[in-house]
């Protein structure tokens, strides 16, 4: 009996020693910031046109355009200029207060809307503004609020913020092209980023960034999720291990947490727009048909055209394709009565010819 008690005491001491060693190791890993650096290495980052963006205080957005930012074209083939106006939209810069008789549209999306690889005046938003103004006989403003790498949740969240901020909005226009995993700005280009506050303020981000549940097969999804989150919140060693595995694996953009956030933000945006009496229009990229969520109620305009060739379906098409997309959007908006016509508009071919755009 005495021997059994002695053995039990030894086992207890060994167990306690191991536990203390693990706690000490965990404190050391966290104190040295090893987990934070590995998390930074594992996160998805946007490296496109970073100089015109800034870190956002909003936990969903992560970043947005920096008002007044400029990056002129350098004269080399393929270079393009970017200017951001005082209100954080790309392009020529509209006044804050809407002029009388003007129809104001906020156009949001990812790099397709932002206008990757083209100048300010060549973006889809700028071309749509020109096409609608010509077609309707009234001043139309189309604010380019596209952001490189933005996904549905970020686009919808920015739409909510801008609808509450910008006066006189007549329409929200969304072009959603990217998968559901949100990006951060590249820390190598913007310096050290305080990621802690994003994880602290966004309950979706832990499972979006680290969706793999190590014990799902053994415990089931619900219990495995709870244990996974507990480890991520409480253990620096566990965070380091999960981030290390994520950084070494191919990026998987789709996961339940990211999809849930996309749905939450999009439906919240539609509810806010409905209360404000502002229509929501989805201008679908040719490769994406149908509403962004089954429950979405906004108006859908499809840009798909089977006879237009491969360039028509590119995510970052050349300027003539962006201008042609704008013509299709303008025609659909006028035909559906979404933008009022104050004078007789030209037909599509005449407007396209005046803008120097071929539609064939």
């Amino acid at each position: 009996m005495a021997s059994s008690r002695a053995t039990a005491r030894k086992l207890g001491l060994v167990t306690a020693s191991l536990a203390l060693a693990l706690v000490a190791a965990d404190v050391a890993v966290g104190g040295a910031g090893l987990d934070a650096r590995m998390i930074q290495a594992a996160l998805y980052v946007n490296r496109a046109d970073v100089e015109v963006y800034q870190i956002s205080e909003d936990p969903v957005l992560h970043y947005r355009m920096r008002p007044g930012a400029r990056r002129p074209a350098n004269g080399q083939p393929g270079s393009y200029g970017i200017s951001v106006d005082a209100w954080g939209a790309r392009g020529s810069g509209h006044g804050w207060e809407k002029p009388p008789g003007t129809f104001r549209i906020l156009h949001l999306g990812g790099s397709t809307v932002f206008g990757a690889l083209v100048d300010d005046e060549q973006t889809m938003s700028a071309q749509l503004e020109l096409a609608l103004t010509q077609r309707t006989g009234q001043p139309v403003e189309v604010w380019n609020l596209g952001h490189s790498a933005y996904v549905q949740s970020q686009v919808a969240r920015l739409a909510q913020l801008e609808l509450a901020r910008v006066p006189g909005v007549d329409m929200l226009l969304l072009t959603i092209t990217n998968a559901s995993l949100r990006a951060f700005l590249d820390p190598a280009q913007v310096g050290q980023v305080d990621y802690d506050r994003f994880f602290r303020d966004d309950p979706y981000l832990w499972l979006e960034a680290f969706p793999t549940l190590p014990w799902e097969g053994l415990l089931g999804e619900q219990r495995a999720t709870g244990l996974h989150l507990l480890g991520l919140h409480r253990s620096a060693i566990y965070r380091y291990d999960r981030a290390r595995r994520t950084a070494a694996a191919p990026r998987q953009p789709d996961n339940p947490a990211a999809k849930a956030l996309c749905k939450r933000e999009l439906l919240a945006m539609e509810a806010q727009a409905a209360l404000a009496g502002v229509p929501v229009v989805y201008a679908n990229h040719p490769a994406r048909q149908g509403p962004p969520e089954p429950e979405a109620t906004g108006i859908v305009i499809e840009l798909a055209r089977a006879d237009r060739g491969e360039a028509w379906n590119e995510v970052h098409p050349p300027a003539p394709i962006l201008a042609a997309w704008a013509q299709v959007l303008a025609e659909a908006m006028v035909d559906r009565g979404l933008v009022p016509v104050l004078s007789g508009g030209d037909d599509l071919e005449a407007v396209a010819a005046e803008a120097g755009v071929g539609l064939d």
Side-chain angles (χ1 to χ4, degrees), residues 254-268:
D254 293 327
N255 61 67
K259 289 181 178 179
L261 179 62
C262 285
K263 179 175 289 189
R264 186 193 78 174
E265 294 300 329
L266 186 131
L267 296 182

Side-chain angles (χ1 to χ4, degrees), residues 43-47 60-63 148-151 154 180-186 195 208 251:
L43 293 177
Y44 172 44
V45 298
N46 168 43
R47 296 184 173 90
V60 174
L61 294 183
H62 297 174
Y63 60 92
S148 296
Y150 259 24
V151 300
Q154 293 165 305
S180 56
L181 185 62
R182 289 170 290 165
F184 288 87
L185 290 181
D186 183 5
Y195 290 108
E208 179 182 323
R251 183 167 62 87

